[in-house]
Amino acid sequence: AAETARVAEHHITELLGFCVQTHGYRIKYYVFRNNIMSKVFRLLFSKDKHLVLGAIRFARMCIGLKDHQYNRHIVRYNLFEQLFDVFV
């Protein structure tokens, strides 16, 4: 059961990343309204490396869009700190 949950979390993270890249307007407000970024960034502290890498890929996709609303959300909720803690 735990393995199935981890695989599901990985697939959901990948799907969210795909949606961020391809469906800009609608997914942006879904991510903000439901606090998705904080939930995905929680995976950065998982023991499973594929979940950590999936969360990093999601963060790269959001940052790579160079959208001021995503950037402002990341800064407002101090999500960079969580991201930097993974690399330190």
Side-chain angles (χ1 to χ4, degrees):
E3 179 67 26
T4 305
R6 287 191 297 267
V7 170
E9 288 174 334
H10 175 70
H11 288 304
I12 290 169
T13 304
E14 294 297 319
L15 181 63
L16 284 169
F18 172 77
C19 290
V20 163
Q21 281 186 325
T22 56
H23 304 288
Y25 179 76
R26 290 181 185 231
I27 192 69
K28 182 188 312 183
Y29 290 102
Y30 178 80
V31 166
F32 295 153
R33 223 176 312 127
N34 296 305
N35 202 17
I36 298 295
M37 291 182 92
S38 294
K39 292 174 184 175
V40 170
F41 276 46
R42 262 189 241 139
L43 295 175
L44 291 169
F45 302 105
S46 174
K47 293 179 183 178
D48 298 315
K49 293 299 178 189
H50 67 280
L51 292 178
V52 174
L53 294 174
I56 291 170
R57 270 192 300 274
F58 178 78
R60 283 187 61 216
M61 288 178 200
C62 292
I63 295 166
L65 291 174
K66 297 179 183 172
D67 186 307
H68 71 278
Q69 290 175 325
Y70 279 117
N71 295 340
R72 187 173 20 168
H73 185 81
I74 290 170
V75 170
R76 179 181 298 153
Y77 293 102
N78 203 19
L79 297 176
F80 269 129
E81 181 180 355
Q82 295 175 9
L83 191 60
F84 290 144
D85 285 345
V86 171
F87 296 109
V88 174

